[in-house]
Amino acid sequence: MTSASKQSESLVSTLLFWGSVGFVLAYSGVLLGAFSVQLFAHEFPCPLCMLQRYAMILTVIPQLWIVTNSLRGKLKKVEYARCLGMSIIAAVAGSFESTRQILLHIATKGDPGYGSAVLGLHLYTWALITFVVVILYCGGALMAMPYGTPAAPTSPAWRGVARVATWLFLALILANLVAIILLEGFAWILPDDPTKYHLLQQLGFH
Amino acid sequence: MDIIIMAVLTVLAVLAYRGAKRAWVVGLWVLGLVLMLILFKIHATSHLHLNF
């Protein structure tokens, strides 16, 4: 391998690693935004909203695996390809859920949509956009894969940035677990239009 | 069912973070996906009585 091709492979490997870190951070931002709307605007997520959050988490987990295995220096090309495939499948499933919710509100004439709009679009429309972006990103990463595999930086500071991204995502998952326990309570599924934390009501706090 | 799915996803995320064996991560990921699709089928085939 020539020096130029080694440099090119190193650049692609670095870009693919930070692509996965950016993926984890971006979806953490999306989940944090959705969580903020729930906590501060008191807009409780409907069942389809929660389904889209699960799809987002299923989309990010393979990228989390890529980041942590890259940091350990254990990531192989075959594992990277598998993780991209998993993210694409979860994004396609999530796009079905977003599309169902969009169509549901289009189908009813005069329906203002569920919840508040953010920058002119409802959260489920933004969710569909993020799923499409994921599919495009994974397609690009698969095209770049013959030229490199994600490689973590050696600098402790940059490795720390990647670790913080993974911790933020884990913290958001834990927060969502607590939130869904409070929302669902002892019911089997969420009500169509949740307006309160059912567990608190069932335990007599409301 | 939402709590079960979220619990599976939490365990899955922790395993992925700790670099668990591929079989565990892929297996739990498939389980999470299947459970999510089952729940989607439950909600998609019923009318949502949304109240604005």
Side-chain angles (χ1 to χ4, degrees):
Chain A
M1 190 183 277
T2 63
S3 165
S5 65
K6 265 186 185 170
Q7 267 188 338
S8 159
E9 186 173 326
S10 166
L11 176 68
V12 172
S13 299
T14 304
L15 285 175
L16 290 178
F17 174 77
W18 287 109
S20 289
V21 174
F23 192 130
V24 174
L25 267 179
Y27 257 132
S28 297
V30 171
L31 288 170
L32 193 62
F35 210 58
S36 305
V37 169
Q38 179 181 339
L39 283 181
F40 302 116
H42 302 292
E43 286 184 11
F44 294 93
C46 66
L48 284 173
C49 303
M50 285 312 300
L51 279 164
Q52 287 160 71
R53 283 193 204 177
Y54 307 147
M56 287 176 186
I57 293 169
L58 281 168
T59 304
V60 180
I61 283 172
Q63 303 298 320
L64 177 74
W65 201 27
I66 290 169
V67 174
T68 53
N69 278 329
S70 298
L71 286 168
R72 290 186 178 95
K74 282 177 17 185
L75 186 72
K76 292 178 188 153
K77 218 177 253 287
V78 66
E79 299 295 346
Y80 184 55
R82 182 179 287 116
C83 287
L84 290 174
M86 288 160 79
S87 288
I88 291 172
I89 291 169
V92 170
S95 68
F96 288 160
E97 294 162 358
S98 306
T99 305
R100 154 83 184 180
Q101 194 167 8
I102 292 168
L103 291 176
L104 195 68
H105 296 296
I106 288 175
T108 314
K109 203 176 176 184
D111 186 334
Y114 188 84
S116 315
V118 176
L119 299 174
L121 297 175
H122 284 93
L123 293 182
Y124 40 85
T125 310
W126 282 115
L128 177 61
I129 291 170
T130 68
F131 290 129
V132 172
V133 169
V134 164
I135 294 165
L136 291 174
Y137 168 76
C138 291
L142 281 168
M143 285 173 71
M145 212 180 65
Y147 309 104
T149 312
T154 50
S155 145
W158 286 116
R159 292 172 74 86
V161 171
R163 281 195 202 285
V164 168
T166 60
W167 293 340
L168 175 64
F169 179 66
L170 287 176
L172 278 164
I173 290 190
L174 278 176
N176 270 287
L177 176 65
V178 172
I180 196 65
I181 290 171
L182 291 173
L183 266 173
E184 197 165 65
F186 299 111
W188 177 239
I189 56 171
L190 279 176
D192 288 347
D193 186 17
T195 52
K196 54 186 165 285
Y197 290 107
H198 281 90
L199 184 65
L200 298 180
Q201 188 193 30
Q202 287 161 342
L203 294 177
F205 289 106
H206 266 294
Chain B
M1 191 165 183
D2 289 79
I3 295 172
I4 295 169
I5 294 173
M6 214 39 239
V8 168
L9 296 183
T10 306
V11 172
L12 176 57
V14 171
L15 287 178
Y17 175 75
R18 292 173 61 88
K21 284 188 176 173
R22 187 189 67 218
W24 278 105
V25 175
V26 176
L28 271 180
W29 183 87
V30 171
L31 176 67
L33 182 75
V34 169
L35 288 175
M36 182 189 76
L37 292 174
I38 290 170
L39 185 61
F40 180 46
K41 191 173 186 307
I42 290 170
H43 287 298
T45 51
S46 60
H47 180 74
L48 292 174
H49 300 284
L50 294 169
N51 180 21
F52 295 103

